[in-house]
């Protein structure tokens, strides 16, 4: 570990809490049974499964039997979108989503279009927000599903879920609402019953849990077609031997992240605002892409230094042990500009100069101070170098 380091790429993934790593190791070594086995080792694993399900359900304020464990946020999104659309096709073939969703939501919608569904893709405003009135305007008598993310993973815009749900359900109570809450779980208040959400996707590795584990909340009477076929695990909706160490790790990470959530999220918001202010004071031409600093997610912001390429700044910061990204991790190797930033209709040099900064509960004020100083030095040096060419 270097003396000074600032990991600011927590939207891509987070460091596992030490308690979570210890818990998973002990489950793997000592409680290694198959939760379906009838003997003691099986019951031990089954108890961990039930307790973990209760933990996630309690945080969301829902019933345990409404939680389906998956291999992560991508699977939860695929299961929700493909599963609800295919299972409910008799009621209609029209679906609504937005152009700024994560690839694991957009991919299933593209697939459903090939299967004969019609999809309306809504555009955000300049802050990355979806107007509830636009969602209602897109509804048709054939609409069966609306899927809208909570916090955008690239720019941190927070969608007005309760207003969207209320507006949609007022028009047609039967339309299902799915929410990708991967970036908001344990950061913002999230109660599917209060928000009027029928299905909600979660991922463990964004909350200091393990990679490859997630969950889908599915309201009890919503019909869903599974993606896999086989055993009776997860009520037959997600067959496959349960990943007990991962599930135990996810539950513990969620419990720890949810403790004093409000205070921790406020602290993150303050750190975020401090970092943005420090950068904008030193570089008044830096452009914030997405919501204003006091709005938006407590942990994500996106900034461009016009005239500098995001990737060049990223690698220069890496030399100082500061880790950020140019966009979503799943598109990091793509040459095309991010679909989210394109939807904000940014100028070309703003698009090319975009950098995403994302904090977590493990970042300290000292790290943020260090990052602010180094970012300012690095950007000044790059601009000087650019001017000389
Ligand atoms: C908003 C959002 N949805 C879904 C996912 C996919 O989650 P996972 O990496 O667990 O498959 C991510 C991960 O980057 C995300 O940010």
């Amino acid at each position: 570990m270097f003396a000074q380091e600032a990991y600011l790429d927590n939207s891509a993934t987070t460091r596992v809490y030490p308690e979570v790593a210890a818990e998973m190791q002990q489950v793997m070594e000592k409680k290694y049974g198959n939760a379906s086995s009838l003997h003691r080792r099986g019951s031990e694993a089954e108890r961990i499964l039930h307790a973990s399900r209760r933990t996630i359900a309690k945080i969301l304020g829902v019933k345990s039997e409404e939680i389906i464990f998956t291999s992560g946020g991508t699977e939860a999104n695929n299961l929700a979108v493909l599963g609800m659309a295919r299972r409910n096709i008799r009621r209609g073939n029209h679906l609504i989503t937005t152009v700024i969703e994560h690839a694991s939501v957009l991919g299933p919608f593209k697939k459903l279009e090939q299967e004969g569904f019609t999809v309306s893709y809504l555009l955000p405003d300049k802050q990355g927000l979806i107007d509830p009135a636009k969602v209602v305007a897109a509804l048709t008598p054939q609409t069966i599903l609306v899927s809208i993310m909570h916090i955008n993973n690239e720019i941190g815009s927070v969608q007005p879920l309760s207003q969207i749900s209320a507006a949609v359900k007022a028009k047609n109570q039967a339309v299902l609402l799915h929410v990708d809450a991967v970036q908001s779980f344990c950061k913002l208040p999230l109660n599917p019953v209060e928000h009027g959400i029928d299905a909600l996707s979660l991922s463990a590795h964004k909350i200091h849990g393990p990679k490859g584990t997630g969950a889908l909340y599915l309201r009890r009477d919503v019909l869903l077609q599974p993606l896999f076929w086989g055993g009776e695990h997860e009520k037959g909706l997600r067959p496959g031997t349960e990943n007990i160490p991962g599930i135990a790790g996810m539950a513990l990470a969620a419990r720890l992240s949810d403790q004093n959530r409000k205070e921790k999220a406020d602290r993150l918001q303050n750190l975020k605002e401090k970092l943005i202010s420090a950068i904008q004071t030193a570089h008044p031409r830096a452009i914030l892409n997405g919501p204003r600093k006091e709005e938006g997610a407590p942990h994500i912001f996106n900034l461009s230094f016009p005239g500098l390429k995001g990737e060049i700044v990223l690698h220069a910061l890496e030399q100082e042990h500061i880790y950020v990204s140019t966009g979503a991790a799943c598109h990091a190797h793509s040459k095309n500009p991010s679909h989210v930033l394109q939807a904000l209709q940014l100028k070309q040099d703003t698009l090319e100069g975009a950098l995403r900064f994302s904090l977590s509960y493990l970042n300290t004020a000292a790290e943020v101070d260090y990052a602010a100083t180094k970012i300012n030095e690095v950007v000044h040096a790059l601009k000087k170098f650019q001017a000389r060419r």
Side-chain angles (χ1 to χ4, degrees):
M1 180 72 97
F2 299 98
Q4 286 281 40
E5 172 175 316
Y7 180 77
L8 303 178
D9 196 15
N10 291 282
S11 283
T13 197
T14 57
R15 178 150 59 90
V16 166
Y17 288 131
E19 298 92 324
V20 168
E23 169 76 4
M24 290 178 67
Q25 173 140 17
Q26 105 106 356
V27 172
M28 282 187 281
E29 288 179 354
K30 307 238 161 67
K31 312 241 168 114
Y32 48 79
N34 182 324
S36 301
S37 295
L38 297 180
H39 48 68
R40 189 183 308 133
R41 289 277 171 244
S43 323
E44 236 166 40
E46 195 185 23
R47 271 200 297 280
I48 296 173
L49 178 62
H50 289 330
S52 304
R53 210 187 295 285
R54 275 198 300 277
T55 301
I56 305 292
K58 189 162 171 230
I59 292 171
L60 293 177
V62 300
K63 300 188 182 68
S64 286
E65 62 268 27
E66 295 175 313
I67 302 297
I68 302 166
F69 285 111
T70 66
S71 67
T74 297
E75 188 190 330
N77 281 338
N78 273 264
L79 181 58
V81 173
L82 296 172
M84 291 201 285
R86 288 172 179 163
R87 183 68 178 78
N88 291 281
I89 190 163
R90 255 181 268 131
R91 293 201 287 112
N93 72 343
H94 179 242
L95 314 165
I96 299 173
T97 190
T98 82
V99 297
I100 58 166
E101 297 302 309
H102 189 262
S104 59
V105 166
L106 292 174
F109 275 107
K110 293 282 170 233
K111 176 84 183 103
L112 289 168
E113 281 184 289
Q114 291 164 7
E115 294 177 15
F117 285 88
T118 307
V119 182
S120 298
Y121 294 93
L122 305 179
L123 294 170
D125 65 12
K126 292 245 154 79
Q127 307 268 310
L129 292 173
I130 303 293
D131 181 352
K134 271 196 187 172
V135 186
V136 172
L139 290 170
T140 77
Q142 288 295 309
T143 311
I144 53 170
L145 172 69
V146 174
S147 179
I148 296 192
M149 73 200 316
H150 195 187
I151 291 181
N152 182 273
N153 52 304
E154 292 192 45
I155 53 172
S157 52
V158 184
Q159 302 307 336
L161 293 181
S162 294
Q163 287 98 307
I164 290 173
S165 171
V168 167
K169 306 267 173 173
K171 200 78 195 261
N172 182 353
Q173 189 66 36
V175 172
L176 297 168
L177 177 61
H178 165 251
V179 171
D180 173 352
V182 163
Q183 294 290 349
S184 64
F185 183 47
C186 298
K187 303 238 171 43
L188 293 185
L190 191 59
N191 182 315
V193 181
E194 279 172 19
H195 289 311
I197 296 166
D198 302 290
L200 185 107
S201 303
L202 309 174
S203 173
H205 74 106
K206 311 292 181 173
I207 56 162
H208 308 286
K211 292 162 186 61
T213 308
L216 178 69
Y217 154 76
L218 186 72
R219 188 166 56 74
R220 203 165 37 167
D221 41 5
V222 174
L223 300 175
L224 185 93
Q225 180 177 302
L227 298 179
F228 312 148
W229 304 89
E232 279 305 305
H233 315 83
E234 304 296 294
K235 297 188 290 183
L237 295 173
R238 202 287 182 177
T241 303
E242 297 88 352
N243 170 6
I244 302 295
I247 290 170
M250 178 175 186
L252 181 56
R255 194 154 58 72
L256 295 174
S257 292
D258 197 57
Q259 265 167 16
N260 306 319
R261 184 194 53 74
K262 172 87 175 71
E263 285 101 302
K264 288 193 297 198
D266 287 348
R267 190 186 71 92
L268 267 193
Q269 180 79 29
N270 289 336
L271 288 180
K272 178 188 94 169
E273 288 182 24
K274 194 172 164 199
L275 185 53
I276 297 174
S277 296
I279 296 173
Q280 287 192 317
T281 305
H283 302 281
R285 288 184 60 233
I287 297 168
L288 193 60
N289 306 313
R292 281 182 290 273
K293 65 173 187 271
E294 61 283 0
E295 292 170 1
H299 61 307
I300 304 173
F301 65 93
N302 193 302
L303 228 148
S304 295
F305 297 101
L308 294 182
K309 294 251 188 300
E311 202 172 325
I312 306 273
V313 183
L314 179 153
H315 288 302
L317 290 176
E318 184 185 6
Q319 299 301 314
E320 306 293 344
H321 315 295
I322 296 169
Y323 304 107
V324 299
S325 64
T326 49
C330 49
H331 278 147
H333 298 284
S334 161
K335 289 273 168 266
N336 300 327
S338 132
H339 66 287
V340 175
L341 297 177
Q342 279 182 328
L344 300 185
Q345 298 176 347
L346 304 178
K347 286 206 239 129
Q348 192 59 26
D349 66 341
T350 312
L351 261 183
E352 289 175 0
L355 282 175
R356 175 182 69 179
F357 299 81
S358 48
L359 299 148
S360 85
Y361 292 148
L362 291 180
N363 285 124
T364 63
E367 284 170 359
V368 168
D369 288 341
Y370 170 71
T373 307
K374 287 296 170 191
I375 291 166
N376 292 339
E377 282 175 18
V378 161
V379 172
H380 270 307
L382 287 173
K383 279 187 177 165
K384 230 164 127 186
F385 178 72
Q386 190 100 312
R388 269 198 262 119
R389 288 207 305 169

